[in-house]
Structure formats: C-alpha cells, structure tokens
Amino acid sequence: MKALVFGADGFEDLELFYPYHRLKEEGITTHVASMKKGPITGKHGYEITADIAFKDVNSADYDIIVISGGKGPEKMRLDKDALEIVKNFFKKNKPVASICHGPQVLVSADVIKGRKATCWIGIRDDIIAAGAQYEDSEVVVDGNLVSSRNPGDLHAFGREMIKLLK
Amino acid sequence: MKALVFGADGFEDLELFYPYHRLKEEGITTHVASMKKGPITGKHGYEITADIAFKDVNSADYDIIVISGGKGPEKMRLDKDALEIVKNFFKKNKPVASICHGPQVLVSADVIKGRKATCWIGIRDDIIAAGAQYEDSEVVVDGNLVSSRNPGDLHAFGREMIKLLK
C-alpha cells in the first residue's frame, strides 16, 4: 500500500507530519508530493523533502491522498497536475483525506459539490459556495472523503483516515 | 485508560503532539503534565495547556507516561514530583515512552541503569554514563520502556508505544 501526502511551502506543520508518521506507523510507504521535488518548509519551520513532483505522479501507484493545510493549498490548487490527481482519486472513489485549508484544492478540482465536508472556518463559505454540505465537526466522513477542521482534530482525522484503508 | 504526557516550555513540538494525538486517536483520555498548570510553548511556537501540575498527579490514575523531548526535559528533571511519578511507573513496571531528550528525566530519576534505550545523540554519553545500554535504532523496547531518537522516528515510537497498551 502507498500513500501520497500533498505539501507545499507554508504547510501547517502538524497537519502534514501527523498523517505522514501515522501512515508510516501502519507500514505504508508514504511519499510527499509538491510542485517540485526537494525541500519544503512549514509555517512553524519544520522542513521535509518532497519525494515527487505532482507532474510525475502516476495516480494508480497510490492508495490514498492526504492534503495538508496551512498556506500550501493556495499554491497546490494552481498546479493542474495536482488537480488531475485529485480528480482521478474521486473518479475511482479512492480515499482522500483533507484538513484545514486542504479543501481549497478540492474546490479547484471541482470535486466537492454535493459532498459532506468540513474545513478551516475561514474557508467555510468557499466550500459552501462550491456546493459542499459543510458540517462543524472534528471529522466528517462522506464515502471516500475524510475532512477535519484544524490541528486540534488530528486524533479524529487520523482515526478515520486509517479506517478508510482497512 | 488514561495517559500522561510530560511537557515543559521549549518542548519539541512534534514529539509532544504526535503521541498526544495518537493516544487520543485510540480513545485514551490524555492529559498534559508540567511544572504547573497552564499554557506551555514549544520550540516551534505551538502552544498547549498543561492540564495538571506534577505535584498534583496521582500515578495510580494513569496507565502510561510519555516524556516529550526538546528543551523540556532539562526543566522536568529538576522537579522532584516529576521524578517520583517516573520512579513509581518503573517500580510498577507500567509503560513509559521517552523520546529525544526525554531520557534526561530517566537519568535523574535513576531508572535507566541496565536498561536498553536510545535517545537524542547529543545526550547519548549521558545515558551511557548513567548505566543504560545505548542502541542507535529508531525505536528500542525494553520491558516497560520505549525510546526513540528524534522526530523522524515518531512512526516507530507511536507503533511501539501503542503496542505496550494492548
């Protein structure tokens, strides 16, 4: 089993590292994807190396995407290859986990319409405008999609993310 | 089941938050203990509220201790009540998980002699001098004691920490 964690400079550190280590804890090969290969730096100064650029990802190689939050999603959503990966996952009904600002990418990939989801409160109105059914809960699960609001929800986000893989 | 996570100002943010959320993910009530109740701040600026002061902890109430790393352990090790909690856990053979600089507390509590353990490389010689059998591994398990070296080991640390509770 293989997982792909989306990150970009300005990522919310805990929201990238919690799912990253959690997936590895399950014995899952976990790669970080970004606009290009190489180091990316979180809001709080943690660094991690992106293993692969979005343009080089073969979606069929991976079983789950995790979209971390913070300032990363406003960059990822401008990358057409990142959006293609997300669209492919939704088309195939494969697990996607998205936290905080992560749903900005789901809005741009036009996959959130009619789906129950949550997000950082500051982008709540954007996901509603894009057709999502917003819920103010620590975690919302709707089919292949798991979403959470903020780093304080990581325990619930992790639990439901792992459940999608079992 | 209840868990106690030791923290103090200057804690290594990921090393506190990963086990904290991981324990909560298992449905375990998780409290943060420090020299006093109230907010503490990590090296990378994350804040969390200590639920209880070491002096007010009844060891019998908890099933596992996690000692986070960073700059916290040099403060915790000066708190005699923190050391008493640790001694009590070792006496009863209850789970203790310690990462990075966490074993500084184990040295001061005089519980590491003859035990296999790992730690942040910068304090390797201190745990050896205190009688530990140091191993350079992502995680070392010796009876009730789980130890890891640094934030990059959190996936293995989490896995073995949770196993001790099953």
Side-chain angles (χ1 to χ4, degrees), chain A residues 12-14 17-18 21-22 24-25 44-46 151-152 154-155 158-159, chain B residues 12-14 17-18 21-22 24-25 44-46 151-152 154-155 158-159:
Chain A
E12 211 296 328
D13 308 58
L14 295 178
F17 280 102
Y18 190 80
H21 287 297
R22 187 66 186 86
K24 289 180 71 176
E25 191 184 318
H44 287 268
Y46 283 99
L154 280 165
H155 58 285
R159 182 185 72 229
Chain B
E12 211 295 329
D13 308 59
L14 296 178
F17 281 102
Y18 190 79
H21 287 296
R22 188 66 187 85
K24 288 180 73 178
E25 191 185 318
H44 288 267
Y46 284 99
L154 280 165
H155 57 285
R159 182 186 71 229

PDB file of all heavy atoms in Angstrom, chain A residues 12-14 17-18 21-22 24-25 44-46 151-152 154-155 158-159, chain B residues 12-14 17-18 21-22 24-25 44-46 151-152 154-155 158-159:
ATOM      1  N   GLU A  12       0.927  23.563   7.146  1.00  0.00           N
ATOM      2  CA  GLU A  12       0.707  23.551   8.584  1.00  0.00           C
ATOM      3  C   GLU A  12       1.443  22.307   9.104  1.00  0.00           C
ATOM      4  O   GLU A  12       1.068  21.178   8.781  1.00  0.00           O
ATOM      5  CB  GLU A  12      -0.798  23.502   8.889  1.00  0.00           C
ATOM      6  CG  GLU A  12      -1.199  24.191  10.188  1.00  0.00           C
ATOM      7  CD  GLU A  12      -0.617  23.517  11.407  1.00  0.00           C
ATOM      8  OE1 GLU A  12      -0.446  22.280  11.372  1.00  0.00           O
ATOM      9  OE2 GLU A  12      -0.324  24.190  12.401  1.00  0.00           O
ATOM     10  N   ASP A  13       2.460  22.544   9.905  1.00  0.00           N
ATOM     11  CA  ASP A  13       3.426  21.502  10.237  1.00  0.00           C
ATOM     12  C   ASP A  13       2.791  20.239  10.820  1.00  0.00           C
ATOM     13  O   ASP A  13       3.070  19.122  10.370  1.00  0.00           O
ATOM     14  CB  ASP A  13       4.491  22.062  11.193  1.00  0.00           C
ATOM     15  CG  ASP A  13       5.117  23.345  10.658  1.00  0.00           C
ATOM     16  OD1 ASP A  13       4.355  24.313  10.418  1.00  0.00           O
ATOM     17  OD2 ASP A  13       6.346  23.386  10.478  1.00  0.00           O
ATOM     18  N   LEU A  14       1.949  20.404  11.839  1.00  0.00           N
ATOM     19  CA  LEU A  14       1.346  19.221  12.466  1.00  0.00           C
ATOM     20  C   LEU A  14       0.413  18.499  11.492  1.00  0.00           C
ATOM     21  O   LEU A  14       0.319  17.271  11.509  1.00  0.00           O
ATOM     22  CB  LEU A  14       0.539  19.610  13.715  1.00  0.00           C
ATOM     23  CG  LEU A  14       1.313  20.195  14.893  1.00  0.00           C
ATOM     24  CD1 LEU A  14       0.341  20.562  16.020  1.00  0.00           C
ATOM     25  CD2 LEU A  14       2.368  19.230  15.417  1.00  0.00           C
ATOM     26  N   PHE A  17       2.770  16.435   9.293  1.00  0.00           N
ATOM     27  CA  PHE A  17       3.554  15.392   9.958  1.00  0.00           C
ATOM     28  C   PHE A  17       2.701  14.358  10.684  1.00  0.00           C
ATOM     29  O   PHE A  17       3.111  13.203  10.773  1.00  0.00           O
ATOM     30  CB  PHE A  17       4.588  16.007  10.910  1.00  0.00           C
ATOM     31  CG  PHE A  17       5.817  16.496  10.203  1.00  0.00           C
ATOM     32  CD1 PHE A  17       5.992  17.859   9.952  1.00  0.00           C
ATOM     33  CD2 PHE A  17       6.777  15.611   9.755  1.00  0.00           C
ATOM     34  CE1 PHE A  17       7.126  18.311   9.273  1.00  0.00           C
ATOM     35  CE2 PHE A  17       7.910  16.055   9.086  1.00  0.00           C
ATOM     36  CZ  PHE A  17       8.088  17.410   8.839  1.00  0.00           C
ATOM     37  N   TYR A  18       1.538  14.741  11.223  1.00  0.00           N
ATOM     38  CA  TYR A  18       0.745  13.712  11.899  1.00  0.00           C
ATOM     39  C   TYR A  18       0.301  12.618  10.929  1.00  0.00           C
ATOM     40  O   TYR A  18       0.624  11.445  11.135  1.00  0.00           O
ATOM     41  CB  TYR A  18      -0.453  14.279  12.681  1.00  0.00           C
ATOM     42  CG  TYR A  18      -1.086  13.203  13.544  1.00  0.00           C
ATOM     43  CD1 TYR A  18      -0.526  12.852  14.760  1.00  0.00           C
ATOM     44  CD2 TYR A  18      -2.198  12.494  13.121  1.00  0.00           C
ATOM     45  CE1 TYR A  18      -1.055  11.832  15.536  1.00  0.00           C
ATOM     46  CE2 TYR A  18      -2.735  11.471  13.883  1.00  0.00           C
ATOM     47  CZ  TYR A  18      -2.162  11.153  15.095  1.00  0.00           C
ATOM     48  OH  TYR A  18      -2.687  10.127  15.861  1.00  0.00           O
ATOM     49  N   HIS A  21       3.496  10.516   9.630  1.00  0.00           N
ATOM     50  CA  HIS A  21       4.014   9.489  10.546  1.00  0.00           C
ATOM     51  C   HIS A  21       2.963   8.412  10.812  1.00  0.00           C
ATOM     52  O   HIS A  21       3.297   7.241  10.992  1.00  0.00           O
ATOM     53  CB  HIS A  21       4.464  10.118  11.868  1.00  0.00           C
ATOM     54  CG  HIS A  21       5.741  10.891  11.758  1.00  0.00           C
ATOM     55  ND1 HIS A  21       6.935  10.296  11.415  1.00  0.00           N
ATOM     56  CD2 HIS A  21       6.020  12.204  11.929  1.00  0.00           C
ATOM     57  CE1 HIS A  21       7.890  11.215  11.390  1.00  0.00           C
ATOM     58  NE2 HIS A  21       7.358  12.375  11.690  1.00  0.00           N
ATOM     59  N   ARG A  22       1.705   8.809  10.839  1.00  0.00           N
ATOM     60  CA  ARG A  22       0.629   7.848  11.149  1.00  0.00           C
ATOM     61  C   ARG A  22       0.535   6.776  10.068  1.00  0.00           C
ATOM     62  O   ARG A  22       0.351   5.593  10.368  1.00  0.00           O
ATOM     63  CB  ARG A  22      -0.686   8.617  11.278  1.00  0.00           C
ATOM     64  CG  ARG A  22      -1.840   7.791  11.763  1.00  0.00           C
ATOM     65  CD  ARG A  22      -1.627   7.327  13.194  1.00  0.00           C
ATOM     66  NE  ARG A  22      -2.703   6.403  13.570  1.00  0.00           N
ATOM     67  CZ  ARG A  22      -2.671   5.076  13.326  1.00  0.00           C
ATOM     68  NH1 ARG A  22      -1.639   4.525  12.738  1.00  0.00           N
ATOM     69  NH2 ARG A  22      -3.674   4.322  13.708  1.00  0.00           N
ATOM     70  N   LYS A  24       3.022   5.928   8.020  1.00  0.00           N
ATOM     71  CA  LYS A  24       4.237   5.119   8.160  1.00  0.00           C
ATOM     72  C   LYS A  24       4.113   4.144   9.329  1.00  0.00           C
ATOM     73  O   LYS A  24       4.605   3.016   9.263  1.00  0.00           O
ATOM     74  CB  LYS A  24       5.462   6.026   8.334  1.00  0.00           C
ATOM     75  CG  LYS A  24       5.841   6.773   7.050  1.00  0.00           C
ATOM     76  CD  LYS A  24       7.061   7.658   7.236  1.00  0.00           C
ATOM     77  CE  LYS A  24       8.343   6.856   7.383  1.00  0.00           C
ATOM     78  NZ  LYS A  24       9.538   7.746   7.480  1.00  0.00           N
ATOM     79  N   GLU A  25       3.470   4.585  10.410  1.00  0.00           N
ATOM     80  CA  GLU A  25       3.255   3.705  11.563  1.00  0.00           C
ATOM     81  C   GLU A  25       2.508   2.445  11.140  1.00  0.00           C
ATOM     82  O   GLU A  25       2.718   1.363  11.705  1.00  0.00           O
ATOM     83  CB  GLU A  25       2.483   4.462  12.656  1.00  0.00           C
ATOM     84  CG  GLU A  25       2.462   3.722  13.980  1.00  0.00           C
ATOM     85  CD  GLU A  25       1.624   4.412  15.051  1.00  0.00           C
ATOM     86  OE1 GLU A  25       1.683   5.648  15.177  1.00  0.00           O
ATOM     87  OE2 GLU A  25       0.907   3.697  15.764  1.00  0.00           O
ATOM     88  N   HIS A  44       5.752  26.624  10.766  1.00  0.00           N
ATOM     89  CA  HIS A  44       6.477  26.633  12.031  1.00  0.00           C
ATOM     90  C   HIS A  44       7.941  26.246  11.867  1.00  0.00           C
ATOM     91  O   HIS A  44       8.630  25.991  12.851  1.00  0.00           O
ATOM     92  CB  HIS A  44       5.779  25.698  13.029  1.00  0.00           C
ATOM     93  CG  HIS A  44       4.484  26.255  13.544  1.00  0.00           C
ATOM     94  ND1 HIS A  44       4.403  27.000  14.692  1.00  0.00           N
ATOM     95  CD2 HIS A  44       3.225  26.210  13.040  1.00  0.00           C
ATOM     96  CE1 HIS A  44       3.151  27.362  14.899  1.00  0.00           C
ATOM     97  NE2 HIS A  44       2.417  26.889  13.903  1.00  0.00           N
ATOM     98  N   GLY A  45       8.399  26.178  10.628  1.00  0.00           N
ATOM     99  CA  GLY A  45       9.828  25.987  10.384  1.00  0.00           C
ATOM    100  C   GLY A  45      10.314  24.572  10.177  1.00  0.00           C
ATOM    101  O   GLY A  45      11.493  24.359   9.909  1.00  0.00           O
ATOM    102  N   TYR A  46       9.427  23.586  10.316  1.00  0.00           N
ATOM    103  CA  TYR A  46       9.857  22.218  10.033  1.00  0.00           C
ATOM    104  C   TYR A  46      10.071  22.049   8.532  1.00  0.00           C
ATOM    105  O   TYR A  46       9.323  22.605   7.733  1.00  0.00           O
ATOM    106  CB  TYR A  46       8.804  21.198  10.492  1.00  0.00           C
ATOM    107  CG  TYR A  46       8.794  20.965  11.979  1.00  0.00           C
ATOM    108  CD1 TYR A  46       7.874  21.606  12.794  1.00  0.00           C
ATOM    109  CD2 TYR A  46       9.711  20.106  12.568  1.00  0.00           C
ATOM    110  CE1 TYR A  46       7.853  21.391  14.167  1.00  0.00           C
ATOM    111  CE2 TYR A  46       9.701  19.882  13.931  1.00  0.00           C
ATOM    112  CZ  TYR A  46       8.773  20.526  14.729  1.00  0.00           C
ATOM    113  OH  TYR A  46       8.763  20.305  16.087  1.00  0.00           O
ATOM    114  N   PRO A 151      -5.614  21.600  13.495  1.00  0.00           N
ATOM    115  CA  PRO A 151      -4.701  20.630  14.128  1.00  0.00           C
ATOM    116  C   PRO A 151      -5.277  19.959  15.375  1.00  0.00           C
ATOM    117  O   PRO A 151      -4.904  18.835  15.687  1.00  0.00           O
ATOM    118  CB  PRO A 151      -3.468  21.480  14.489  1.00  0.00           C
ATOM    119  CG  PRO A 151      -3.514  22.647  13.567  1.00  0.00           C
ATOM    120  CD  PRO A 151      -4.973  22.926  13.319  1.00  0.00           C
ATOM    121  N   GLY A 152      -6.188  20.616  16.068  1.00  0.00           N
ATOM    122  CA  GLY A 152      -6.790  20.024  17.264  1.00  0.00           C
ATOM    123  C   GLY A 152      -7.648  18.801  16.960  1.00  0.00           C
ATOM    124  O   GLY A 152      -7.992  18.035  17.857  1.00  0.00           O
ATOM    125  N   LEU A 154      -6.669  16.383  14.861  1.00  0.00           N
ATOM    126  CA  LEU A 154      -5.823  15.369  14.219  1.00  0.00           C
ATOM    127  C   LEU A 154      -6.068  13.949  14.720  1.00  0.00           C
ATOM    128  O   LEU A 154      -5.924  12.991  13.956  1.00  0.00           O
ATOM    129  CB  LEU A 154      -4.345  15.743  14.352  1.00  0.00           C
ATOM    130  CG  LEU A 154      -3.879  16.798  13.335  1.00  0.00           C
ATOM    131  CD1 LEU A 154      -2.527  17.384  13.740  1.00  0.00           C
ATOM    132  CD2 LEU A 154      -3.798  16.221  11.923  1.00  0.00           C
ATOM    133  N   HIS A 155      -6.421  13.814  16.005  1.00  0.00           N
ATOM    134  CA  HIS A 155      -6.679  12.459  16.513  1.00  0.00           C
ATOM    135  C   HIS A 155      -7.863  11.815  15.771  1.00  0.00           C
ATOM    136  O   HIS A 155      -7.820  10.638  15.411  1.00  0.00           O
ATOM    137  CB  HIS A 155      -6.945  12.486  18.022  1.00  0.00           C
ATOM    138  CG  HIS A 155      -8.089  13.360  18.401  1.00  0.00           C
ATOM    139  ND1 HIS A 155      -7.996  14.737  18.406  1.00  0.00           N
ATOM    140  CD2 HIS A 155      -9.367  13.082  18.740  1.00  0.00           C
ATOM    141  CE1 HIS A 155      -9.163  15.245  18.760  1.00  0.00           C
ATOM    142  NE2 HIS A 155     -10.011  14.264  18.956  1.00  0.00           N
ATOM    143  N   GLY A 158      -6.906  11.284  11.964  1.00  0.00           N
ATOM    144  CA  GLY A 158      -6.064  10.095  11.807  1.00  0.00           C
ATOM    145  C   GLY A 158      -6.875   8.815  11.902  1.00  0.00           C
ATOM    146  O   GLY A 158      -6.700   7.893  11.106  1.00  0.00           O
ATOM    147  N   ARG A 159      -7.764   8.778  12.879  1.00  0.00           N
ATOM    148  CA  ARG A 159      -8.583   7.571  13.098  1.00  0.00           C
ATOM    149  C   ARG A 159      -9.407   7.235  11.849  1.00  0.00           C
ATOM    150  O   ARG A 159      -9.392   6.100  11.370  1.00  0.00           O
ATOM    151  CB  ARG A 159      -9.525   7.825  14.288  1.00  0.00           C
ATOM    152  CG  ARG A 159     -10.409   6.659  14.663  1.00  0.00           C
ATOM    153  CD  ARG A 159     -11.378   7.073  15.783  1.00  0.00           C
ATOM    154  NE  ARG A 159     -12.409   7.958  15.280  1.00  0.00           N
ATOM    155  CZ  ARG A 159     -12.772   9.118  15.844  1.00  0.00           C
ATOM    156  NH1 ARG A 159     -12.199   9.542  16.954  1.00  0.00           N
ATOM    157  NH2 ARG A 159     -13.727   9.861  15.306  1.00  0.00           N
TER     158      ARG A 159
ATOM    159  N   GLU B  12       9.756  19.820  22.183  1.00  0.00           N
ATOM    160  CA  GLU B  12       9.864  19.595  20.746  1.00  0.00           C
ATOM    161  C   GLU B  12       8.432  19.332  20.252  1.00  0.00           C
ATOM    162  O   GLU B  12       7.817  18.328  20.621  1.00  0.00           O
ATOM    163  CB  GLU B  12      10.801  18.409  20.470  1.00  0.00           C
ATOM    164  CG  GLU B  12      11.560  18.513  19.157  1.00  0.00           C
ATOM    165  CD  GLU B  12      10.635  18.452  17.953  1.00  0.00           C
ATOM    166  OE1 GLU B  12       9.588  17.792  18.035  1.00  0.00           O
ATOM    167  OE2 GLU B  12      10.952  19.050  16.916  1.00  0.00           O
ATOM    168  N   ASP B  13       7.950  20.227  19.440  1.00  0.00           N
ATOM    169  CA  ASP B  13       6.518  20.273  19.129  1.00  0.00           C
ATOM    170  C   ASP B  13       5.958  18.946  18.597  1.00  0.00           C
ATOM    171  O   ASP B  13       4.935  18.445  19.078  1.00  0.00           O
ATOM    172  CB  ASP B  13       6.230  21.410  18.136  1.00  0.00           C
ATOM    173  CG  ASP B  13       6.809  22.736  18.621  1.00  0.00           C
ATOM    174  OD1 ASP B  13       8.046  22.795  18.813  1.00  0.00           O
ATOM    175  OD2 ASP B  13       6.039  23.691  18.801  1.00  0.00           O
ATOM    176  N   LEU B  14       6.618  18.379  17.582  1.00  0.00           N
ATOM    177  CA  LEU B  14       6.106  17.124  17.011  1.00  0.00           C
ATOM    178  C   LEU B  14       6.173  15.992  18.025  1.00  0.00           C
ATOM    179  O   LEU B  14       5.309  15.111  18.050  1.00  0.00           O
ATOM    180  CB  LEU B  14       6.903  16.721  15.766  1.00  0.00           C
ATOM    181  CG  LEU B  14       6.831  17.648  14.551  1.00  0.00           C
ATOM    182  CD1 LEU B  14       7.723  17.102  13.430  1.00  0.00           C
ATOM    183  CD2 LEU B  14       5.407  17.806  14.044  1.00  0.00           C
ATOM    184  N   PHE B  17       3.106  16.515  20.261  1.00  0.00           N
ATOM    185  CA  PHE B  17       1.790  16.413  19.620  1.00  0.00           C
ATOM    186  C   PHE B  17       1.548  15.060  18.949  1.00  0.00           C
ATOM    187  O   PHE B  17       0.411  14.620  18.892  1.00  0.00           O
ATOM    188  CB  PHE B  17       1.563  17.561  18.633  1.00  0.00           C
ATOM    189  CG  PHE B  17       1.161  18.844  19.315  1.00  0.00           C
ATOM    190  CD1 PHE B  17       2.075  19.868  19.511  1.00  0.00           C
ATOM    191  CD2 PHE B  17      -0.128  19.006  19.777  1.00  0.00           C
ATOM    192  CE1 PHE B  17       1.702  21.045  20.153  1.00  0.00           C
ATOM    193  CE2 PHE B  17      -0.519  20.181  20.418  1.00  0.00           C
ATOM    194  CZ  PHE B  17       0.403  21.204  20.606  1.00  0.00           C
ATOM    195  N   TYR B  18       2.586  14.416  18.415  1.00  0.00           N
ATOM    196  CA  TYR B  18       2.318  13.115  17.784  1.00  0.00           C
ATOM    197  C   TYR B  18       1.786  12.100  18.809  1.00  0.00           C
ATOM    198  O   TYR B  18       0.686  11.568  18.637  1.00  0.00           O
ATOM    199  CB  TYR B  18       3.512  12.552  17.009  1.00  0.00           C
ATOM    200  CG  TYR B  18       3.099  11.339  16.195  1.00  0.00           C
ATOM    201  CD1 TYR B  18       2.436  11.484  14.984  1.00  0.00           C
ATOM    202  CD2 TYR B  18       3.301  10.050  16.668  1.00  0.00           C
ATOM    203  CE1 TYR B  18       2.003  10.378  14.259  1.00  0.00           C
ATOM    204  CE2 TYR B  18       2.862   8.943  15.953  1.00  0.00           C
ATOM    205  CZ  TYR B  18       2.220   9.113  14.752  1.00  0.00           C
ATOM    206  OH  TYR B  18       1.772   8.019  14.044  1.00  0.00           O
ATOM    207  N   HIS B  21      -1.871  13.203  20.131  1.00  0.00           N
ATOM    208  CA  HIS B  21      -2.998  12.894  19.249  1.00  0.00           C
ATOM    209  C   HIS B  21      -3.140  11.386  19.031  1.00  0.00           C
ATOM    210  O   HIS B  21      -4.248  10.873  18.892  1.00  0.00           O
ATOM    211  CB  HIS B  21      -2.841  13.601  17.904  1.00  0.00           C
ATOM    212  CG  HIS B  21      -3.092  15.078  17.971  1.00  0.00           C
ATOM    213  ND1 HIS B  21      -4.316  15.605  18.298  1.00  0.00           N
ATOM    214  CD2 HIS B  21      -2.277  16.137  17.751  1.00  0.00           C
ATOM    215  CE1 HIS B  21      -4.247  16.931  18.279  1.00  0.00           C
ATOM    216  NE2 HIS B  21      -3.027  17.277  17.952  1.00  0.00           N
ATOM    217  N   ARG B  22      -2.009  10.691  19.003  1.00  0.00           N
ATOM    218  CA  ARG B  22      -2.049   9.245  18.752  1.00  0.00           C
ATOM    219  C   ARG B  22      -2.785   8.512  19.873  1.00  0.00           C
ATOM    220  O   ARG B  22      -3.562   7.587  19.618  1.00  0.00           O
ATOM    221  CB  ARG B  22      -0.609   8.734  18.621  1.00  0.00           C
ATOM    222  CG  ARG B  22      -0.493   7.301  18.173  1.00  0.00           C
ATOM    223  CD  ARG B  22      -0.992   7.125  16.770  1.00  0.00           C
ATOM    224  NE  ARG B  22      -1.019   5.699  16.421  1.00  0.00           N
ATOM    225  CZ  ARG B  22      -2.031   4.874  16.709  1.00  0.00           C
ATOM    226  NH1 ARG B  22      -3.096   5.321  17.357  1.00  0.00           N
ATOM    227  NH2 ARG B  22      -1.984   3.612  16.354  1.00  0.00           N
ATOM    228  N   LYS B  24      -5.018   9.924  21.901  1.00  0.00           N
ATOM    229  CA  LYS B  24      -6.425  10.318  21.778  1.00  0.00           C
ATOM    230  C   LYS B  24      -7.101   9.544  20.644  1.00  0.00           C
ATOM    231  O   LYS B  24      -8.274   9.190  20.741  1.00  0.00           O
ATOM    232  CB  LYS B  24      -6.535  11.828  21.550  1.00  0.00           C
ATOM    233  CG  LYS B  24      -6.203  12.641  22.803  1.00  0.00           C
ATOM    234  CD  LYS B  24      -6.315  14.144  22.563  1.00  0.00           C
ATOM    235  CE  LYS B  24      -7.756  14.599  22.449  1.00  0.00           C
ATOM    236  NZ  LYS B  24      -7.842  16.085  22.274  1.00  0.00           N
ATOM    237  N   GLU B  25      -6.362   9.305  19.558  1.00  0.00           N
ATOM    238  CA  GLU B  25      -6.911   8.528  18.444  1.00  0.00           C
ATOM    239  C   GLU B  25      -7.375   7.159  18.916  1.00  0.00           C
ATOM    240  O   GLU B  25      -8.339   6.605  18.379  1.00  0.00           O
ATOM    241  CB  GLU B  25      -5.848   8.401  17.340  1.00  0.00           C
ATOM    242  CG  GLU B  25      -6.407   7.856  16.038  1.00  0.00           C
ATOM    243  CD  GLU B  25      -5.344   7.619  14.967  1.00  0.00           C
ATOM    244  OE1 GLU B  25      -4.431   8.456  14.796  1.00  0.00           O
ATOM    245  OE2 GLU B  25      -5.427   6.580  14.300  1.00  0.00           O
ATOM    246  N   HIS B  44       8.889  25.356  18.382  1.00  0.00           N
ATOM    247  CA  HIS B  44       8.396  25.864  17.099  1.00  0.00           C
ATOM    248  C   HIS B  44       7.148  26.726  17.252  1.00  0.00           C
ATOM    249  O   HIS B  44       6.485  27.038  16.274  1.00  0.00           O
ATOM    250  CB  HIS B  44       8.126  24.691  16.156  1.00  0.00           C
ATOM    251  CG  HIS B  44       9.380  24.048  15.646  1.00  0.00           C
ATOM    252  ND1 HIS B  44       9.975  24.416  14.474  1.00  0.00           N
ATOM    253  CD2 HIS B  44      10.179  23.093  16.181  1.00  0.00           C
ATOM    254  CE1 HIS B  44      11.068  23.693  14.283  1.00  0.00           C
ATOM    255  NE2 HIS B  44      11.216  22.875  15.305  1.00  0.00           N
ATOM    256  N   GLY B  45       6.823  27.077  18.492  1.00  0.00           N
ATOM    257  CA  GLY B  45       5.760  28.046  18.713  1.00  0.00           C
ATOM    258  C   GLY B  45       4.366  27.498  18.960  1.00  0.00           C
ATOM    259  O   GLY B  45       3.450  28.272  19.219  1.00  0.00           O
ATOM    260  N   TYR B  46       4.195  26.179  18.876  1.00  0.00           N
ATOM    261  CA  TYR B  46       2.871  25.626  19.206  1.00  0.00           C
ATOM    262  C   TYR B  46       2.640  25.737  20.709  1.00  0.00           C
ATOM    263  O   TYR B  46       3.565  25.562  21.501  1.00  0.00           O
ATOM    264  CB  TYR B  46       2.771  24.151  18.798  1.00  0.00           C
ATOM    265  CG  TYR B  46       2.584  23.935  17.320  1.00  0.00           C
ATOM    266  CD1 TYR B  46       3.664  23.602  16.507  1.00  0.00           C
ATOM    267  CD2 TYR B  46       1.326  24.054  16.733  1.00  0.00           C
ATOM    268  CE1 TYR B  46       3.495  23.399  15.143  1.00  0.00           C
ATOM    269  CE2 TYR B  46       1.149  23.846  15.377  1.00  0.00           C
ATOM    270  CZ  TYR B  46       2.229  23.517  14.579  1.00  0.00           C
ATOM    271  OH  TYR B  46       2.060  23.310  13.239  1.00  0.00           O
ATOM    272  N   PRO B 151      12.423  13.356  16.019  1.00  0.00           N
ATOM    273  CA  PRO B 151      11.082  13.399  15.407  1.00  0.00           C
ATOM    274  C   PRO B 151      10.927  12.486  14.193  1.00  0.00           C
ATOM    275  O   PRO B 151       9.814  12.025  13.907  1.00  0.00           O
ATOM    276  CB  PRO B 151      10.924  14.869  14.992  1.00  0.00           C
ATOM    277  CG  PRO B 151      11.854  15.630  15.870  1.00  0.00           C
ATOM    278  CD  PRO B 151      13.010  14.716  16.134  1.00  0.00           C
ATOM    279  N   GLY B 152      12.015  12.192  13.484  1.00  0.00           N
ATOM    280  CA  GLY B 152      11.933  11.307  12.329  1.00  0.00           C
ATOM    281  C   GLY B 152      11.561   9.873  12.694  1.00  0.00           C
ATOM    282  O   GLY B 152      11.187   9.079  11.826  1.00  0.00           O
ATOM    283  N   LEU B 154       9.124   9.128  14.845  1.00  0.00           N
ATOM    284  CA  LEU B 154       7.817   9.128  15.517  1.00  0.00           C
ATOM    285  C   LEU B 154       6.885   8.000  15.074  1.00  0.00           C
ATOM    286  O   LEU B 154       6.083   7.508  15.871  1.00  0.00           O
ATOM    287  CB  LEU B 154       7.127  10.493  15.349  1.00  0.00           C
ATOM    288  CG  LEU B 154       7.648  11.563  16.318  1.00  0.00           C
ATOM    289  CD1 LEU B 154       7.219  12.959  15.868  1.00  0.00           C
ATOM    290  CD2 LEU B 154       7.178  11.300  17.742  1.00  0.00           C
ATOM    291  N   HIS B 155       6.984   7.584  13.815  1.00  0.00           N
ATOM    292  CA  HIS B 155       6.115   6.489  13.350  1.00  0.00           C
ATOM    293  C   HIS B 155       6.413   5.200  14.135  1.00  0.00           C
ATOM    294  O   HIS B 155       5.492   4.486  14.536  1.00  0.00           O
ATOM    295  CB  HIS B 155       6.300   6.255  11.851  1.00  0.00           C
ATOM    296  CG  HIS B 155       7.701   5.953  11.455  1.00  0.00           C
ATOM    297  ND1 HIS B 155       8.681   6.927  11.395  1.00  0.00           N
ATOM    298  CD2 HIS B 155       8.314   4.793  11.142  1.00  0.00           C
ATOM    299  CE1 HIS B 155       9.817   6.363  11.039  1.00  0.00           C
ATOM    300  NE2 HIS B 155       9.629   5.073  10.893  1.00  0.00           N
ATOM    301  N   GLY B 158       5.445   5.731  17.937  1.00  0.00           N
ATOM    302  CA  GLY B 158       3.996   5.603  18.123  1.00  0.00           C
ATOM    303  C   GLY B 158       3.549   4.148  18.091  1.00  0.00           C
ATOM    304  O   GLY B 158       2.752   3.705  18.924  1.00  0.00           O
ATOM    305  N   ARG B 159       4.087   3.405  17.123  1.00  0.00           N
ATOM    306  CA  ARG B 159       3.702   2.000  16.961  1.00  0.00           C
ATOM    307  C   ARG B 159       4.004   1.201  18.232  1.00  0.00           C
ATOM    308  O   ARG B 159       3.143   0.485  18.755  1.00  0.00           O
ATOM    309  CB  ARG B 159       4.484   1.402  15.783  1.00  0.00           C
ATOM    310  CG  ARG B 159       4.173  -0.037  15.449  1.00  0.00           C
ATOM    311  CD  ARG B 159       5.116  -0.547  14.352  1.00  0.00           C
ATOM    312  NE  ARG B 159       6.471  -0.719  14.840  1.00  0.00           N
ATOM    313  CZ  ARG B 159       7.571  -0.258  14.233  1.00  0.00           C
ATOM    314  NH1 ARG B 159       7.501   0.417  13.095  1.00  0.00           N
ATOM    315  NH2 ARG B 159       8.772  -0.461  14.765  1.00  0.00           N
TER     316      ARG B 159
END
